[in-house]
Amino acid sequence: MIDFAIPAELAAERDRIRRFVVDKIVPYERDPRLTSHGPNDDLRQELVELARAEKLLTIQAPVELGGAGLGGRSLTHVEQAVLYEAAGWSTLGPVAMNCAAPDEGNMFLLSKVANPQQIDEHLSPLIDGRQRSVFAMTEPGGAGSDPGQLSTTATFDGERFTVNGRKWLITGADGAVSWIIMARLAANPHLPEGPTLFLTDGRQPGIVIERTMNTMDRNYVGGHGVVRFDDLTLPKEALLGEAGQALRYAQLRLAPARLTHCMRWLGAAERAQHIAVEHARTRTAFGRPIGEHEGVSFLLADNEVALHQCRLTIWHACWLMDQGERARHESSMAKSFVSEELFKVADRCVQVLGGIGISDETVVEMIFRDMRAFRLYDGPTEVHKWAIGRKVLG
Ligand SMILES: Cc1cc2nc3c(=O)[nH]c(=O)nc-3n(C[C@H](O)[C@H](O)[C@H](O)COP(=O)(O)OP(=O)(O)OC[C@H]3O[C@@H](n4cnc5c(N)ncnc54)[C@H](O)[C@@H]3O)c2cc1C
């Protein structure tokens, strides 16, 4: 049976998260430690401790690995959707609760692929909120929408790997400890060649952070880095999963990760709509509240429809995954649809607010800017549509 009802326990947890975000996290949105390169590590740690105190830290991780879960068990994808939406009310909510990108997707991947030693050294401290991680794939002129263009190389002499290459748009690079690096393993007599993942501590000489890029978003801790691997030497234990399987692991990570982006941004878009609705009720023009002008009420109505459609789309893809399906097609449809629709919601909210919409008098401006990037990462809309189109055409 398909059931859209939210069970009482889940609704109570959703409301608890919303209260936590509103009461404890929203006040930090004006903290100077929320810099143009995202929240800094000092702010992140302070927020993480607030969530830890409320037992709201890393709710998504499997409980057997230290995740908070719900009622002593790990969350289903649908439950995750309901709770992440509440967390997303502030872009700092997922940071506090340790369910923001890229750590969240990285934790998911590591929980599926890491060996016991890697779990101890990397996954456990990540789940505990003590360290951060990166997923380093995208390259200037190389891997991007098309990961097959991967140009970072790795060689293997039977004992050690040597990695060389350059990456950019690497979220959280500045300050992250656990680095998942994608490189193309050259032919060698010991291991399969091809795109391969490595997991290592980022604090070593072969990893050079050239700079943090200036971008229009500022919701990710550490911003987005340009990094270089200069004869990075790694022991054979740094191999993550099997050699030559990086693209398969990236897909494993991406399907749920693109949905969790949708969940968090849905919460942020709802917040923007809430602010726009309040404004439409109280701001008057031409003798009445602006919300009573049809042009404004239609903008708000379009938002309401879009928010509802996005929620249902997310829940359906989550439900499929809860049935054990990979839901690649549905998560791809959800990602492209939700990112485009929510950005339109944020834009209409800016419009309803009039001139202050583009100012930091409200958080709508920040949501609008931060959300723009969502149409690009984890697959630009056009790439998803291209894949959907190919499936449609058989
Ligand atoms: C905020 C942000 C954070 C990011 N964080 C990370 C990170 O932590 N780690 C990481 O590795 N990467 C990260 N990225 C990079 C992200 O994964 C890439 O931006 C994305 O994969 C697109 O690659 P590209 O930027 O090289 O664009 P390109 O591949 O150069 O594509 C440019 C445009 O071409 C079009 N296009 C490409 N292929 C097709 C097609 N088949 N059909 C139709 N149109 C097409 C699309 O419109 C696309 O936007 C991040 C990006 C952003 C914006």
Side-chain angles (χ1 to χ4, degrees):
M1 188 181 83
I2 297 176
D3 186 353
F4 290 97
I6 298 182
E9 184 190 32
L10 180 60
E13 190 68 344
R14 174 198 62 195
D15 295 346
R16 192 167 82 88
I17 290 173
R18 175 63 57 82
R19 273 196 308 278
F20 166 71
V21 173
V22 169
D23 295 345
K24 302 266 174 65
I25 304 302
V26 165
Y28 284 90
E29 287 172 347
R30 300 226 173 240
D31 192 296
R33 291 172 297 171
L34 174 49
T35 73
S36 60
H37 291 155
N40 69 17
D41 274 301
D42 188 45
L43 174 57
R44 172 185 180 267
Q45 210 54 53
E46 195 168 319
L47 298 176
V48 159
E49 295 314 321
L50 293 174
R52 194 193 306 279
E54 301 284 341
K55 300 204 177 341
L56 286 175
L57 192 67
T58 330
I59 54 173
Q60 75 281 4
V63 287
E64 61 276 16
L65 292 174
L70 178 67
R73 57 173 181 79
S74 302
L75 295 178
T76 65
H77 290 97
V78 171
E79 288 169 339
Q80 204 177 355
V82 171
L83 301 183
Y84 274 33
E85 185 183 330
W89 187 259
S90 169
T91 53
L92 291 176
V95 174
M97 292 169 58
N98 200 25
C99 61
D103 289 324
E104 190 244 24
N106 292 341
M107 286 187 256
F108 177 83
L109 176 64
L110 293 180
S111 73
K112 300 285 178 204
V113 184
N115 61 35
Q117 193 187 339
Q118 291 169 328
I119 289 177
D120 275 359
E121 282 177 24
H122 294 279
L123 181 56
S124 297
L126 282 172
I127 290 176
D128 197 39
R130 281 182 279 133
Q131 67 192 41
R132 292 194 291 102
S133 60
V134 303
F135 187 85
M137 180 200 77
T138 307
E139 301 163 336
S145 301
D146 178 8
Q149 292 186 170
L150 185 69
S151 64
T152 297
T153 59
T155 54
F156 187 51
D157 64 7
E159 282 303 315
R160 312 193 88 72
F161 297 99
T162 306
V163 179
N164 279 289
R166 203 156 166 263
K167 307 266 181 188
W168 67 4
L169 290 161
I170 305 308
T171 305
D174 187 12
V177 173
S178 298
W179 283 58
I180 301 171
I181 300 166
M182 192 188 287
R184 186 179 296 282
L185 185 57
N188 69 90
H190 316 281
L191 290 170
E193 62 188 292
T196 298
L197 291 185
F198 301 93
L199 174 62
T200 189
D201 190 318
R203 297 165 295 187
Q204 51 182 304
I207 298 183
V208 182
I209 299 176
E210 292 183 3
R211 62 188 165 91
T212 301
M213 302 167 94
N214 295 320
T215 57
M216 66 197 286
D217 65 329
R218 58 185 188 120
N219 55 308
Y220 293 115
V221 179
H224 312 289
V226 181
V227 303
R228 199 173 71 238
F229 306 116
D230 267 349
D231 285 332
L232 170 65
T233 308
L234 300 174
K236 57 177 186 257
E237 291 75 27
L239 191 63
L240 178 59
E242 292 170 28
Q245 295 297 318
L247 300 186
R248 186 164 67 81
Y249 295 143
Q251 281 305 325
L252 182 74
R253 178 185 183 279
L254 271 178
R258 59 172 73 121
L259 278 179
T260 56
H261 277 304
C262 295
M263 300 168 191
R264 291 180 292 255
W265 285 123
L266 177 59
E270 265 192 298
R271 169 99 174 276
Q273 167 81 336
H274 176 79
I275 293 167
V277 167
E278 271 312 295
H279 187 76
R281 282 200 185 110
T282 50
R283 170 71 172 152
T284 59
F286 302 98
R288 61 179 69 164
I290 58 169
E292 289 181 20
H293 295 293
E294 192 176 82
V296 172
S297 71
F298 276 21
L299 293 177
L300 297 172
D302 284 345
N303 282 355
E304 210 57 22
V305 174
L307 292 168
H308 186 61
Q309 293 292 319
C310 288
R311 186 175 300 111
L312 292 178
T313 301
I314 295 166
W315 284 8
H316 178 244
C318 288
W319 178 82
L320 285 174
M321 293 206 303
D322 286 335
Q323 309 311 305
E325 295 192 26
R326 289 173 67 198
R328 270 185 73 172
H329 181 57
E330 289 76 10
S331 71
S332 187
M333 290 196 292
K335 200 279 174 180
S336 52
F337 176 74
V338 172
S339 62
E340 294 295 324
E341 286 303 309
L342 293 186
F343 185 66
K344 284 187 227 159
V345 169
D347 184 46
R348 288 190 286 258
C349 290
V350 170
Q351 196 68 16
V352 170
L353 289 172
I356 62 157
I358 62 147
S359 76
D360 68 359
E361 296 295 314
T362 80
V363 77
V364 171
E365 171 263 355
M366 183 166 83
I367 292 171
F368 175 83
R369 276 191 296 124
D370 287 347
M371 202 188 279
R372 180 61 183 84
F374 178 33
R375 292 167 58 199
L376 292 163
Y377 51 68
D378 284 9
T381 303
E382 297 73 27
V383 177
H384 283 291
K385 287 190 175 171
W386 177 61
I388 295 163
R390 276 188 309 175
K391 183 166 167 61
V392 168
L393 292 165

